Amino acid sequence: MELKKKISAIKLESAVLTKKTDEELNCKIEALKKPKKKFLDKDIIEWFALVQEISYRTIGLKHYDTQLLAGFLLNEGKVVEMKTGEGKTLVSTLPVSLNALSKKGAHVVTVNDYLAERDQNWMGKVYKNLGLSVGLVKSTTTLKEKQKSYNSDITYITNSELVFDYLRDNSVYNSKEIVQRELNFCLIDEIDSILIDESRTPLILSDFEETESIYKLYVAKNLINLLKKEEDFEIDTKRRDINLTEKGYQVALAKLRKKSLYDVTDPWMLYILNALKAKYFFKKNKDYIILQEKIAIVDEFTGRVMEDRRWSMGLHEAIEMKENIKIEGGSKTKTSITYQNFFTLYSKLSGMTGTAKTTEKEFQDIYNLEVVVLPTIKPMLRQDLSDLIYQNELAKWKAVLSKSKNAFEKGQPILIGTTTIEKSDFLSDLFKSSNIPHQILNAKPENVKRESEIIAQAGKKNSVTIATNMAGRGTDIILGGNPIFKVKEKIWDLLINLSSDYTPEDEKHIQKILYLYKENIKDLKSDIKKLPDLNSIFSKENKESELENFYKHVYKKIYPVWQKENKEVQELGGLFVLGTERHETRRIDNQLRGRAGRQGDPGISQFLVSLEDDLIKIFAGDSIRRWIDYLLEDKDVPLESSLLSKSLEKAQQKVEMQNYDIRKNVFQYDEILNFQRKELFEARKEILSKNNCEDLFLRYKESLLDEIIEKIDRVIKTKGISLLYETKHLAYIYSKLDLITKNKKKLYKEIWINHDLRFAQSNFYQIGFLKNTRAVILLEIIDFYWTEHIDRMSYIRDTINWRAYGQENPLLEYNIQAYNSFKVMLQEMRGSMIYYFLNNEFIQEKED
């Protein structure tokens, strides 16, 4: 059935459902929830119509045709592009609830805890009225709470917490600590931010490891100050890479008085390169901030702080040394996985975003996901003005100040986008000195706390807002300001701040509410923050009634004022979005632009750039600079040209292709380890769930015997029996040489009998807790050798590209090395397990 016909069918079904009572709807819900092998088109149409009706009765929102269309596409496992403000959150209820009917779980993945909690509270009302359970997993959620949430029909969670829970589940020593179940259906909000922007580096689960090399970090920090740029080391800005020249290598050797920087027992090269990268690539208030005397990484795409993340391979420690921050210690990788390989574990994957078309090829190539762009519900009225290009940053910042001042003075709200915290702070200082009142939103904690409030009021008349990146903010910018936030602000002022600015009618409500909450003001604060979601948040009915009545009372007074301001802002041209620099990817620019022109609102967007901006300097500087110098004499006068805009777009495309190559490279190398990871995780699960130590030991002993027999045969055929005893095997094997070469079956029987006797004896003495520790020891052995394997592969990965100089394919060579390393790991693992079994202390004591 065509999608248009399906939507028409939903409308017909919905018209019937509107006349039914709640009880009749519940009966229909229960009928559709009965287990089915496969949902037919008829079932999906009926369910979507039910969701639409329940949504309208519960939260007052009904899905538009475009949203219904998006629901079908997401259920088919596609990426849907919908512009900002088109209602992606409501759309999610359709495919998520449908796939939750399987009782295998449906995950809704968001970019931060705030959005996960907000959407779970908001859309959770719809799901609960559909008879579905809803869970929430945050970074602060306890183990028991996680288990309950993951076992719910629908689970809201952030992308990083989801992946780390997967890695932790595959590192536990007790099956009761596992929180996740089968990975069934996943819907990713802001899918491009997660699967594209954040997929350049794998997620690593690591153990803390004491740093014994603070001396080397300190020496490396001082050594690089003696090295000369271009002479002693070369910087590849495009690839963010640094390498010593031959002269630089010799200078470092002389200063350190070493024979080699690559000595395995005394390595220095990594410390020197990390110190150089820390100095030249990683900038304070751009790549990281100092938070509570610690280095906190800033996500370059979302502008958010990632407090629990550390750069690997000693880079984080080098930055701590650079900033004179206490060295927190190194880390040893236990296991890791990329977003590309994790999310492909789901039976069905889909996602939505406002910007996906520019990365359509990557979604198809890596994730096998098709991108579909949907039209806006109302016509787009936003004017996207041509870029203005200035010769230097000073001229650009003067223009930013001038345009911001003009917008402020006439009352038009303006949103100014910056690419770094440093530049947002600089612009804030510029506005302060020019007496322009403004709000600032960046990764600093004092600003993050007020994030939703700042964004919600960015559309007010006369508002000036500075923001560092706008991906995944999750709050719409409404012209004239968000009336709901205004109501909450007024209620907070009257009830918490005890403002005297109230009417006699207000006073009646205030006195009643303060009396009801007199015992606990914390509850009052919490309930005000949750407004206007009044359902199921209050502990007592009279509290709910009073606060609800007061909310409606204040809303009636504020709404007409907001309507007037909304109309005034529309007449001024709507929200003016001003970008102060082109980002390295067009999607981030489009996310900023998308904040204006929401749902048919008027709006304006424009970017001001300079020849000193990083993007132009690195990728398009020389040609554009020569042209502008030829055409312009006045440095304060910008150049506006479609040809220049195309040059900028080509520069962005170069960066996008380079970043795509990096991500593809990460994926290809991790894909090699992915098969090994799956095998290892399956082995762990088998030991945890079945406690099959006995079978495992027997298989390993049999395989070891097979290898010994094969080796003995090979030695006899090539070197003779006299050299046989040079091989290091168990003594009793040698005494059975005739049996080995003439009658293998008898030897197998001897191993089986010996195995059964030892396990029977072991089981007799190792009861209760001691018996259970056997599985734990096996898991510890597996984890130890897997960690060693990951370490080996990490070092190989860092040096494998040198093979290209020898006309070898680095990826192919890495594949060979990974296979050999994995083979060594399995042999060592097996040997350790057998050694543990043969030297079991309880058995040994009995035998003694």
Side-chain angles (χ1 to χ4, degrees):
M1 192 188 296
E2 293 180 9
L3 288 176
K4 286 185 179 180
K5 289 182 179 179
K6 289 180 181 178
I7 291 169
S8 298
I10 290 175
K11 285 182 172 181
L12 290 172
E13 179 70 17
S14 186
V16 174
L17 294 178
T18 54
K19 299 173 183 176
K20 293 188 178 292
T21 64
D22 290 346
E23 289 75 16
E24 288 173 323
L25 286 183
N26 287 334
C27 290
K28 197 162 184 65
I29 288 168
E30 291 306 314
L32 282 170
K33 283 171 65 179
K34 289 181 179 178
K36 297 177 177 66
K37 289 184 178 179
K38 186 180 178 181
F39 276 92
L40 303 174
D41 282 347
K42 179 177 174 294
D43 299 321
I44 297 173
I45 287 165
E46 287 184 11
W47 182 259
F48 278 18
L50 269 170
V51 175
Q52 189 182 43
E53 182 61 25
I54 291 295
S55 171
Y56 185 70
R57 294 189 188 189
T58 305
I59 59 175
L61 296 175
K62 198 165 190 175
H63 303 76
Y64 293 110
D65 289 2
T66 309
Q67 292 171 321
L68 294 171
L69 177 60
F72 278 110
L73 294 169
L74 290 169
N75 182 58
E76 291 171 1
K78 292 182 171 62
V79 175
V80 174
E81 180 179 300
M82 297 177 72
K83 301 302 178 189
T84 302
E86 294 293 297
K88 291 190 289 291
T89 306
L90 183 63
V91 166
S92 66
T93 57
L94 297 167
V96 169
S97 61
L98 179 67
N99 285 276
L101 297 180
S102 66
K103 293 298 177 183
K104 294 179 181 179
H107 294 165
V108 183
V109 178
T110 68
V111 293
N112 59 61
D113 283 343
Y114 164 74
L115 291 177
E117 188 168 12
R118 186 204 68 174
D119 293 353
Q120 186 255 357
N121 286 330
W122 189 15
M123 296 299 121
K125 298 178 180 64
V126 178
Y127 297 132
K128 285 171 185 174
N129 282 324
L130 288 167
L132 300 169
S133 57
V134 188
L136 171 69
V137 176
K138 300 196 297 183
S139 54
T140 55
T141 307
T142 64
L143 178 69
K144 287 186 178 180
E145 289 170 340
K146 280 186 176 183
Q147 289 173 333
K148 182 180 177 182
S149 291
Y150 276 118
N151 280 299
S152 299
D153 295 319
I154 299 162
T155 308
Y156 280 83
I157 186 171
T158 62
N159 50 298
S160 59
E161 197 63 27
L162 175 67
V163 179
F164 279 123
D165 279 341
Y166 171 77
L167 293 176
R168 281 189 283 262
D169 276 358
N170 286 284
S171 302
V172 299
Y173 297 127
N174 189 330
S175 58
K176 293 179 180 178
E177 293 175 11
I178 293 175
V179 296
Q180 290 182 349
R181 52 177 173 155
E182 179 184 355
L183 298 175
N184 176 45
F185 172 76
C186 181
L187 174 66
I188 306 176
D189 190 14
E190 304 296 347
I191 190 170
D192 56 333
S193 179
I194 294 170
L195 295 193
I196 305 297
D197 296 336
E198 296 195 36
S199 64
R200 280 163 64 170
T201 53
L203 283 89
I204 298 170
L205 189 67
S206 56
D207 273 340
F208 179 79
E209 188 176 53
E210 289 291 339
T211 299
E212 300 176 354
S213 48
I214 293 177
Y215 165 72
K216 287 187 175 181
L217 290 168
Y218 178 77
V219 171
K221 174 188 172 182
N222 289 284
L223 172 65
I224 63 167
N225 293 326
L226 303 175
L227 301 178
K228 297 175 183 177
K229 191 176 178 181
E230 303 303 334
E231 192 175 320
D232 295 324
F233 61 92
E234 295 174 341
I235 297 178
D236 186 340
T237 312
K238 293 182 180 181
R239 296 185 176 275
R240 284 175 69 88
D241 196 16
I242 293 181
N243 282 300
L244 292 181
T245 62
E246 182 59 34
K247 183 184 176 184
Y249 184 84
Q250 295 302 325
V251 170
L253 284 180
K255 295 293 181 185
L256 295 171
R257 297 181 182 178
K258 300 291 179 183
K259 292 182 179 179
S260 172
L261 300 181
Y262 295 99
D263 188 344
V264 176
T265 59
D266 186 26
W268 276 93
M269 181 57 84
L270 187 61
Y271 293 95
I272 295 169
L273 294 180
N274 279 338
L276 285 167
K277 288 177 183 178
K279 181 177 179 179
Y280 291 99
F281 286 151
F282 291 84
K283 305 296 182 184
K284 181 181 174 183
N285 289 335
K286 179 184 177 184
D287 301 293
Y288 62 89
I289 62 172
I290 297 176
L291 183 64
Q292 297 176 348
E293 296 300 311
K294 292 183 179 180
I295 300 294
I297 300 172
V298 175
D299 189 309
E300 64 176 304
F301 297 102
T302 64
R304 298 180 185 280
V305 169
M306 301 185 288
E307 293 185 48
D308 297 328
R309 303 275 188 95
R310 288 179 67 86
W311 284 295
S312 59
M313 298 299 292
L315 179 58
H316 206 96
E317 290 78 30
I319 294 171
E320 287 170 332
M321 179 59 72
K322 167 193 165 184
E323 296 290 351
N324 295 315
I325 299 290
K326 181 185 175 184
I327 309 295
E328 290 293 320
S331 58
K332 191 176 182 69
T333 301
K334 285 179 67 177
T335 188
S336 67
I337 194 170
T338 59
Y339 279 127
Q340 293 103 318
N341 276 316
F342 172 77
F343 280 104
T344 51
L345 295 173
Y346 279 92
S347 302
K348 188 194 293 185
L349 177 68
S350 63
M352 49 194 185
T353 179
T355 48
K357 191 65 178 176
T358 56
T359 48
E360 183 176 20
K361 185 179 185 299
E362 188 164 350
F363 277 121
Q364 185 66 55
D365 291 350
I366 303 296
Y367 302 100
N368 196 27
L369 291 172
E370 181 186 343
V371 175
V372 181
V373 181
L374 295 185
T376 55
I377 296 167
K378 296 178 181 178
M380 176 66 73
L381 300 179
R382 186 184 69 231
Q383 298 178 57
D384 294 330
L385 304 179
S386 300
D387 294 354
L388 296 181
I389 302 177
Y390 294 83
Q391 292 194 50
N392 55 53
E393 274 205 295
L394 179 61
K396 180 183 74 173
W397 292 119
K398 282 181 183 178
V400 171
L401 179 61
S402 175
K403 285 183 176 288
S404 302
K405 195 171 185 179
N406 289 339
F408 169 68
E409 287 175 349
K410 75 175 184 178
Q412 183 178 22
I414 182 169
L415 174 67
I416 305 156
T418 64
T419 55
T420 67
I421 300 167
E422 185 179 34
K423 287 177 181 175
S424 66
D425 285 341
F426 165 76
L427 192 56
S428 177
D429 291 338
L430 196 61
F431 285 172
K432 285 175 185 174
S433 64
S434 302
N435 296 316
I436 300 176
H438 61 280
Q439 297 287 341
I440 182 169
L441 177 58
N442 57 30
K444 290 186 175 179
E446 62 269 24
N447 299 321
V448 172
K449 287 178 183 177
R450 299 177 55 244
E451 176 180 320
S452 57
E453 177 190 341
I454 292 170
I455 294 299
Q457 301 308 334
K460 283 178 68 175
K461 193 176 177 181
N462 297 107
S463 70
V464 178
T465 310
I466 305 167
T468 304
N469 292 330
M470 292 298 298
R473 295 297 178 185
T475 305
D476 288 339
I477 298 177
I478 300 173
L479 299 185
N482 189 317
I484 292 173
F485 272 77
K486 286 186 175 183
V487 174
K488 290 171 69 172
E489 189 177 44
K490 182 66 176 177
I491 291 174
W492 186 276
D493 199 38
L494 292 172
L495 296 177
I496 305 301
N497 297 334
L498 302 178
S499 168
S500 58
D501 182 22
Y502 55 81
T503 64
E505 194 174 353
D506 293 336
E507 188 176 5
K508 293 176 185 177
H509 289 285
I510 293 168
Q511 287 179 350
K512 286 182 181 179
I513 293 169
L514 291 176
Y515 175 77
L516 290 169
Y517 282 94
K518 65 181 179 180
E519 294 180 1
N520 199 337
I521 296 299
K522 284 184 179 179
D523 285 350
L524 177 58
K525 290 180 178 179
S526 175
D527 289 347
I528 293 173
K529 287 178 182 177
K530 292 175 183 176
L531 286 168
D533 302 325
L534 295 168
N535 298 325
S536 306
I537 66 168
F538 297 95
S539 54
K540 294 182 180 178
E541 192 175 320
N542 54 355
K543 286 184 180 183
E544 175 182 352
S545 176
E546 283 303 326
L547 200 53
E548 182 178 6
N549 289 337
F550 191 42
Y551 174 83
K552 290 176 180 177
H553 166 71
V554 177
Y555 192 86
K556 281 179 183 177
K557 291 198 295 182
I558 285 178
Y559 188 73
V561 178
W562 169 79
Q563 276 186 314
K564 182 184 176 184
E565 188 172 328
N566 176 270
K567 188 177 179 182
E568 288 174 356
V569 173
Q570 288 195 40
E571 289 171 352
L572 289 168
L575 179 68
F576 182 14
V577 170
L578 185 64
T580 60
E581 191 174 336
R582 281 285 191 172
H583 200 278
E584 62 179 34
T585 62
R586 288 167 291 169
R587 286 184 304 101
I588 308 300
D589 291 342
N590 291 337
Q591 286 166 359
L592 180 61
R593 281 194 197 276
R595 290 295 166 172
R598 170 190 171 274
Q599 290 191 3
D601 285 339
I604 303 169
S605 74
Q606 188 171 38
F607 281 84
L608 307 186
V609 298
S610 83
L611 297 181
E612 294 176 349
D613 291 346
D614 289 342
L615 178 70
I616 298 179
K617 275 197 302 186
I618 297 170
F619 291 94
D622 294 338
S623 57
I624 293 179
R625 181 180 292 279
R626 283 195 297 269
W627 196 37
I628 290 182
D629 286 343
Y630 174 74
L631 293 174
L632 294 176
E633 292 183 6
D634 189 346
K635 292 187 177 181
D636 289 340
V637 176
L639 192 63
E640 184 177 357
S641 163
S642 59
L643 184 60
L644 282 174
S645 295
K646 286 179 181 177
S647 295
L648 280 173
E649 193 167 311
K650 284 181 180 177
Q652 287 178 307
Q653 288 173 344
K654 285 181 186 176
V655 184
E656 286 168 359
M657 283 306 298
Q658 179 180 300
N659 289 339
Y660 171 62
D661 288 340
I662 291 171
R663 291 189 292 265
K664 189 175 181 181
N665 203 36
V666 169
F667 172 67
Q668 287 175 329
Y669 279 95
D670 190 62
E671 182 70 9
I672 292 168
L673 293 178
N674 197 40
F675 171 76
Q676 299 173 355
R677 185 189 298 115
K678 285 179 180 178
E679 290 291 308
L680 187 92
F681 286 178
E682 283 302 315
R684 284 187 109 269
K685 283 179 184 175
E686 202 174 341
I687 292 171
L688 275 173
S689 60
K690 299 178 182 177
N691 198 8
N692 61 339
C693 305
E694 188 171 348
D695 292 339
L696 192 68
F697 280 133
L698 186 57
R699 289 204 303 268
Y700 280 172
K701 281 194 275 188
E702 287 173 346
S703 66
L704 180 62
L705 179 60
D706 289 338
E707 285 184 16
I708 291 171
I709 292 171
E710 185 183 341
K711 190 167 186 177
I712 289 173
D713 287 341
R714 190 166 60 248
V715 169
I716 291 173
K717 288 175 182 177
T718 57
K719 297 184 179 179
I721 295 177
S722 61
L723 294 176
L724 179 64
Y725 290 91
E726 291 180 12
T727 58
K728 297 179 180 179
H729 292 302
L730 301 175
Y732 88 96
I733 294 288
Y734 297 134
S735 65
K736 305 288 184 180
L737 181 58
D738 289 338
L739 185 61
I740 290 171
T741 53
K742 295 178 182 178
N743 198 339
K744 296 177 184 178
K745 285 186 179 179
K746 288 184 179 179
L747 185 54
Y748 277 118
K749 285 182 181 178
E750 190 172 317
I751 284 180
W752 295 335
I753 293 169
N754 176 273
H755 175 84
D756 289 342
L757 288 173
R758 280 186 172 274
F759 251 94
Q761 197 171 14
S762 173
N763 288 340
F764 179 78
Y765 287 101
Q766 290 184 235
I767 57 174
F769 171 76
L770 294 174
K771 187 175 178 181
N772 292 333
T773 57
R774 192 160 53 202
V776 173
I777 291 170
L778 290 194
L779 293 173
E780 286 177 343
I781 291 170
I782 289 173
D783 289 348
F784 173 79
Y785 286 107
W786 174 249
T787 300
E788 293 294 307
H789 172 61
I790 291 293
D791 269 355
R792 278 197 300 271
M793 296 316 302
S794 178
Y795 286 117
I796 291 169
R797 174 73 182 85
D798 288 336
T799 58
I800 200 71
N801 285 327
W802 291 101
R803 301 287 182 95
Y805 291 103
Q807 305 302 312
E808 294 177 341
N809 184 331
L811 187 63
L812 180 61
E813 290 300 311
Y814 182 82
N815 202 341
I816 294 168
Q817 294 283 350
Y819 171 77
N820 292 334
S821 177
F822 191 66
K823 188 176 178 182
V824 169
M825 181 201 81
L826 291 176
Q827 289 171 342
E828 291 176 338
M829 192 184 293
R830 183 187 61 187
S832 292
M833 287 182 179
I834 294 173
Y835 179 83
Y836 156 72
F837 178 71
L838 294 177
N839 290 274
N840 184 293
E841 58 182 296
F842 289 92
I843 297 175
Q844 292 298 319
E845 286 177 11
K846 183 65 181 174
E847 288 175 348
D848 290 345

